[in-house]
Amino acid sequence: TDLPEDPLSSIGSTAPATTGQQHLTDIDYDPASGLIVSSGLPGLSVMRATEGAPEDLGSNKKAKDHVEFLNPNLVAVSSLGKSGKNGIGLKGAGIGFFDISNPQSPKTVSIDGSGTYLARTGASGMEYREPYLYVTTHEGTFVTVDATTPSEATIVHEAEGLGSPWQVAIHGDWAYVADNSKGVVPVDLSDPAAPVVGSAISLGGGVQDVDVSDDGVLYAAAGSAGLFALSLAEPSSPAIIAEASTGGAAISVSASKG
């Protein structure tokens, strides 16, 4: 499809597909393998990209909230968890890993000393830059996980300063968090093992997703406020260069990678 000159012009949409997902919360694509992974309810799904609708390959029915490729055979997942007995406490809340080398049968990776999940309440959106998995939490923290060996994954750093984050994108030495209560929050990754949370840029709506194009434009889905494009000429302080109404709440965005 030819893209319009205006980066925020609509080029149309497609009808929803029926792939067995009852509630889709996140999706990731690995161009090397052609695999797509999605999360939500009923759980983790693995698909293969095709000319038409994706081909369903396999799934794991445990509920997952976000998903991120680490390599073509391995994905990380985050889970808010579910209520324990009598609604007290949470079970399965945290960060986990799945071996998808056999896409028809995704297998959980056991983490030494932690079981299926590396415990972290409110684990949400994630982004991976080897060897670190960066995870936002609804407790307002930006968590750094050393995922060099997933079965030995450990939390090496935790920075405060977020509100209610949903997703994160990385560009250069910076991460950009979609924060539903604060806006877009830049995070300095110049020391990859000890990120520093910067000052938020309010967009007038609840930001739920962000992505960065190859030419360094940050796109933010800001709920009822619509879609925003921001320049990263000054990485610590993204500046709005365009905005557009989406005719409804903008909750997700994906930018072209070349």
Side-chain angles (χ1 to χ4, degrees):
T1 302
D2 292 332
L3 295 176
E5 292 184 4
D6 183 347
L8 294 183
S9 293
S10 172
I11 56 173
S13 60
T14 59
T18 55
T19 62
Q21 282 283 16
Q22 299 171 20
H23 181 69
L24 182 69
T25 58
D26 198 12
I27 191 167
D28 200 13
Y29 171 64
D30 178 62
S33 63
L35 294 180
I36 301 168
V37 287
S38 65
S39 57
L41 291 175
L44 174 73
S45 293
V46 183
M47 297 162 278
R48 188 177 305 282
T50 65
E51 287 288 334
E55 175 191 1
D56 288 319
L57 298 178
S59 63
N60 184 291
K61 300 303 182 182
K62 294 181 179 178
K64 313 294 181 297
D65 294 289
H66 291 270
V67 62
E68 173 78 5
F69 269 105
L70 275 64
N71 62 53
N73 295 319
L74 188 71
V75 297
V77 297
S78 67
S79 175
L80 294 174
K82 60 181 180 179
S83 297
K85 188 176 181 179
N86 299 323
I88 299 174
L90 287 174
K91 298 174 63 180
I95 304 148
F97 302 91
F98 276 80
D99 180 345
I100 61 167
S101 56
N102 177 2
Q104 284 75 26
S105 183
K107 301 294 185 184
T108 56
V109 175
S110 180
I111 303 172
D112 291 351
S114 300
T116 304
Y117 283 93
L118 193 60
R120 180 57 57 199
T121 301
S124 186
M126 306 176 292
E127 189 79 354
Y128 179 64
R129 175 175 283 182
E130 190 177 5
Y132 298 113
L133 179 68
Y134 297 108
V135 184
T136 62
T137 80
H138 288 301
E139 291 191 323
T141 60
F142 190 88
V143 177
T144 304
V145 177
D146 185 342
T148 303
T149 304
S151 61
E152 300 173 359
T154 56
I155 293 174
V156 297
H157 187 264
E158 190 163 358
E160 298 182 348
L162 301 180
S164 178
W166 285 92
Q167 262 300 7
V168 58
I170 293 176
H171 183 73
D173 288 333
W174 290 82
Y176 298 94
V177 177
D179 195 307
N180 196 46
S181 61
K182 290 193 170 188
V184 172
V185 182
V187 180
D188 186 353
L189 301 180
S190 54
D191 181 350
V196 177
V197 175
S199 300
I201 297 90
S202 175
L203 298 182
V207 181
Q208 296 188 43
D209 197 14
V210 288
D211 200 9
V212 184
S213 64
D214 285 344
D215 57 356
V217 176
L218 174 69
Y219 292 89
S224 60
L227 178 66
F228 287 77
L230 301 93
S231 167
L232 298 179
E234 177 50 62
S236 64
S237 184
I240 298 171
I241 55 176
E243 57 185 279
S245 171
T246 51
I251 61 173
S252 185
V253 62
S254 181
S256 171
K257 305 298 183 184

